[in-house]
Each structure stands twice: as structure tokens, then as C-alpha cells.
Amino acid sequence: MDDGIDASRRRFLELGSVALAAGAISAGAQTQQQVEQGEHSSSSSLPMGQDNSALYHQNPDSVTPPPTDHGNLPAFKYPFTLAHKRVQPGGWTRQVTIADLGIAKEIAGVQMRLIPGGIRELHWHKPSEWSLMLYGNARITCIDPDGKAFVDDVKEGDIWNFPPGYPHSIQGLPPDGCEFLLVFDDGNFDEYETVLLTDWIGHTPPGILAKNFGTSSSPFPPMPPEGRYIFPGTIPGPLQADRKAAEGNLGPSRLPFDFRLLEMPPTKITRGGEVRIIDGNNFRASPQIAAAHVILHPGGLREMHWHPNADEWQYYVKGKGRMTVFAAGARARTMDFEQGDTGYVQQTFPHYIENTGDTDLVFLEMFRSSYYQDVSLSNWLTHLPPQLVIDHLKISQATLDKFPHEERVVMP
Ligand code: MN
Ligand code: MN
């Protein structure tokens, strides 16, 4: 045991109890020694110094960590706002991958905006693509390995999933196109290295193209050197006509690739909010990615829990919240989140999410798994021999009896 570390931890714990007892430490109570230790709750009352003032106000739990935070845990938040925005005539896109958020090994995310008629080029890729429409409307297409077509329109609150290698497209519809989130089951995914139709055609010898399509010479004009990616297109006509033309005499794909997420009744609803669980059990087109869509009312808490089966990638759709991740070995860190932020929790690390704003907090929990799975702390503690729990936590039977005896998901 290192006496220095132990002594420092003792001082920190004492400071923590003082802070808890007093509600907060005043500026005057802070000594130079405490400042040098850098592990307590009073730094917010010091002059701002070299802070970025906008970030300072958005991250109160980094500026003033709760006294229960401790140790070195890598950052688990990255805002899409900081990502490079690739702007093209038909829309824009930006991504958060393992290159931005180092711990995010299992999942990467992309935001995309398309103008009315704007097309995300016909393409495919190895990871699965799970998507949530955040705003507006789009027409999506896909084809299954039986050669059968899927064409549908999606609106805000709808999700879709394109399995690995299934080619697909997304096109913005009137009146104002769309904005959506894409989630890929690989942290190393790169949205700028997908297989694009025009990129492939442009890199195939013209004689092969002629032979392949049964024409006397290549049927195509020269293609852009790196493909079209996102470009303005013709606003599509009625859905039924597009469907009929795409299906031909094969009929429609047996698998619907989209799902009306927000039209589904909540999986669980409490006074504090509601959750919808979507995985391979109720959305058959998504055997690779499981999701929970959570709405927390002001003051609501996504209860203390963990996930035995996968890392959790988060996207914050609306509102403000905070999350503490506990990583064992006395390591815990709290970070603040708001609209457009991504978060990440490694498999089995316990956490909670609290709504810290005055509006609903809406977020997604995403998993590289065919099924959703979590363990609720309350449910666990109330399904053990009671004396075992009492001996650990030094509480009375009466206190234990008051705990929720089931998984609530959202409190209160
Ligand atoms: Mn795609
Ligand atoms: Mn979770």
C-alpha cells in the first residue's frame, strides 16, 4: 500500500463528507493544499482562468465533480458539434468514430442532413446501419438477397436498419428534406469509405461495363472521380408508383427494413418517463443492433444499472442530463450531456442517467447485440437473501423493504 495515495484518498473522502454535510464548500473554505490535490468539489468558486466559457457552463460536473467522482477514467462523451462537417450540394454529414471517441470500439455514429430531393448515393458497407429520423421525411430503398425490393417513406421517430452488404439509398422529401442519425456496429466505421455505385462504375473498364450490361459500348458518361456521395436529385413521385416500378414481377421484400418506433407503445412507463426497447425480437430486420429509446421527464432518473452483453453507445436527442460511470477500483467520473452529444459506457460498467434540465431528456442507448439486456441494481438487491444485503450496506430491513422490488427502468 502506498501511504501517500491512501492519505490523499482519506483527505478527499473527508472533504467529500464535509461537502455533503454543508451542501457545498464555499470559496473561502478552500485551502491551497486542496486546490493542489485537485480532487474535490470547490473549484467552481475559483476564478475561471483558462476555461472555454461556453464549455464551462455546459459541463458543471466536469468543472465541479461530485465528491464521489475519483480516479482517472477516459472521456466518454463527444459532441457531434465538434466533428468535421462534410458539406455537399445535396446536404451535409459528420461522424463520430473511434478516431474521435477512443473508447467507442463497438459503435460509430453519423448525422446527416438532406435537402428536398437530396440523395445519399446508392451504396453499401460491411457494418449494419441502424437509423433514427430526427426531423423531416425521406424515401429509403433497399434490396434483399432474394433480389426483392424495399421502398418506403420514413418520418420523424421512425427507425430503419440495413444489414451488412445490403445496398440502400436515402432521399430527402418535401417540404424541407430531413435530418437523421445513423448508428453502425463497428467503432472503426468510416462513412466516407462506403461502396458507392458511381465510384465503382467509374473504376470499371468501359469494355467490361459494355459486356456486363449487354451494350455495344459503355452506357455511362464519365463518373465523378470519387463518386457522388450526397447530391441534389429529382424529388420522387408517389410512393406506390416507385414501389411498383422497383418490385417489378418479383414482388416486395419479405422483410420490412423500417419500424415506426414512436408509434410503438412504451415497453415500460413510469411517472418519471418511458422506454421503448427495440431489438431482433420485435424488429426482425435488425439482428445486429439493439436499442432503447428513453424519455426522462424533468427530475427523472434512468435507474442505476449495467449491461452484461455489450458496450452502450448513446445519442442525446433532446434535453440535458448527466451520467456517472463507475469503473471499479474506486474510479468514477461524471459528465454532462445535451442535444447532439454522443456518450459511451463499456460493457458491465454501472451507470445512471439523470435529467438535469427543465424539459424532457430524450436519448438512445445502442448495443452491438441481437438482444437488449440490462441488470437493475434495485431488482438485484431485492432478490437476494435480505440479511446478505443488510450485512453489506448496513441498512435496516425496513429500508430495504422500501426499495423498488422490480426493474423500474425510470424513476420515480
Ligand atoms: Mn449506409
Ligand atoms: Mn445503460
Side-chain angles (χ1 to χ4, degrees):
M1 273 284 181
D2 181 326
D3 282 335
I5 291 172
D6 267 359
S8 156
R9 182 175 298 167
R10 258 196 312 279
R11 275 197 302 276
F12 165 52
L13 290 172
E14 283 157 15
L15 279 167
S17 8
V18 169
L20 288 170
I25 297 178
S26 74
Q30 194 172 43
T31 65
Q32 187 58 37
Q33 188 194 25
Q34 289 164 359
V35 173
E36 282 161 7
Q37 285 164 13
E39 270 192 328
H40 45 77
S41 64
S42 55
S43 61
S44 68
S45 44
L46 293 171
M48 274 182 48
Q50 297 295 300
D51 270 305
N52 173 315
S53 66
L55 289 177
Y56 182 98
H57 293 291
Q58 287 169 8
N59 297 278
D61 287 289
S62 296
V63 173
T64 309
T68 42
D69 276 13
H70 185 263
N72 189 22
L73 249 179
F76 44 82
K77 159 181 168 171
Y78 196 90
F80 268 105
T81 306
L82 294 182
H84 167 69
K85 190 182 269 178
R86 179 171 171 182
V87 182
Q88 300 215 189
W92 58 254
T93 186
R94 54 190 179 184
Q95 65 181 356
V96 174
T97 74
I98 198 167
D100 311 289
L101 184 61
I103 61 168
K105 290 192 172 74
E106 298 194 349
I107 291 191
V110 168
Q111 276 182 340
M112 196 173 288
R113 177 90 169 91
L114 298 173
I115 62 170
I119 297 173
R120 167 62 173 95
E121 172 166 5
L122 286 158
H123 74 284
W124 67 94
H125 33 74
K126 192 171 171 195
S128 206
E129 172 179 320
W130 188 102
S131 313
L132 171 69
M133 186 57 81
L134 299 169
Y135 163 80
N137 302 276
R139 181 158 303 172
I140 57 176
T141 75
C142 191
I143 197 164
D144 67 24
D146 296 331
K148 294 183 175 177
F150 168 84
V151 184
D152 204 6
D153 289 350
V154 282
K155 62 179 187 311
E156 186 173 330
D158 292 346
I159 59 171
W160 63 94
N161 189 79
F162 299 131
Y166 285 36
H168 51 275
S169 66
I170 306 162
Q171 184 169 23
L173 295 176
D176 191 30
C178 56
E179 184 173 336
F180 48 92
L181 174 77
L182 304 173
V183 181
F184 300 90
D185 59 346
D186 178 2
N188 284 298
F189 175 77
D190 187 344
E191 167 65 17
Y192 309 129
E193 290 185 4
T194 62
V195 183
L196 304 180
L197 171 65
T198 60
D199 194 11
W200 186 24
I201 296 293
H203 292 88
T204 304
I208 296 294
L209 293 170
K211 196 178 277 187
N212 188 72
F213 291 104
T215 51
S216 53
S217 60
S218 168
F220 307 110
M223 295 291 151
E226 293 177 351
R228 298 196 195 281
Y229 188 54
I230 291 176
F231 62 102
T234 310
I235 287 171
L239 175 62
Q240 289 306 333
D242 258 8
R243 262 192 190 148
K244 211 167 157 232
E247 288 168 9
N249 53 14
L250 292 180
S253 170
R254 278 180 294 116
L255 201 58
F257 292 97
D258 58 8
F259 187 95
R260 314 292 168 199
L261 169 63
L262 288 189
E263 292 171 19
M264 164 184 156
T267 312
K268 198 104 181 174
I269 184 161
T270 69
R271 211 149 46 81
E274 57 193 61
V275 61
R276 288 170 174 80
I277 309 261
I278 317 97
D279 62 14
N281 294 314
N282 51 1
F283 182 26
R284 282 194 307 127
S286 182
Q288 294 89 2
I289 297 180
H293 180 276
V294 183
I295 300 173
L296 288 185
H297 303 318
L301 180 77
R302 171 75 178 90
E303 68 170 312
M304 295 169 77
H305 69 281
W306 66 97
H307 306 274
N309 62 330
D311 289 0
E312 170 177 341
W313 186 89
Q314 301 166 341
Y315 179 78
Y316 289 81
V317 180
K318 274 179 205 157
K320 286 185 176 179
R322 68 168 181 166
M323 170 167 70
T324 301
V325 174
F326 176 65
R331 290 177 303 147
R333 182 170 176 179
T334 307
M335 299 189 84
D336 302 283
F337 296 86
E338 58 189 275
Q339 177 175 307
D341 288 344
T342 68
Y344 202 84
V345 185
Q346 282 146 296
Q347 186 174 358
T348 74
F349 284 10
H351 52 285
Y352 69 83
I353 297 158
E354 181 187 30
N355 185 341
T356 54
D358 48 17
T359 59
D360 279 357
L361 173 65
V362 181
F363 63 94
L364 286 170
E365 308 174 5
M366 306 296 308
F367 306 89
R368 186 168 75 184
S369 171
S370 61
Y371 59 94
Y372 177 87
Q373 188 176 64
D374 64 11
V375 179
S376 147
L377 175 61
S378 289
N379 185 75
W380 178 45
L381 293 181
T382 54
H383 291 84
L384 286 166
Q387 193 58 46
L388 183 63
V389 178
I390 290 166
D391 282 355
H392 277 80
L393 299 175
K394 312 297 178 201
I395 54 173
S396 66
Q397 179 72 55
T399 300
L400 181 58
D401 289 345
K402 284 183 200 141
F403 291 179
H405 281 50
E406 56 172 0
E407 171 167 16
R408 291 274 176 86
V409 184
V410 174
M411 294 294 290

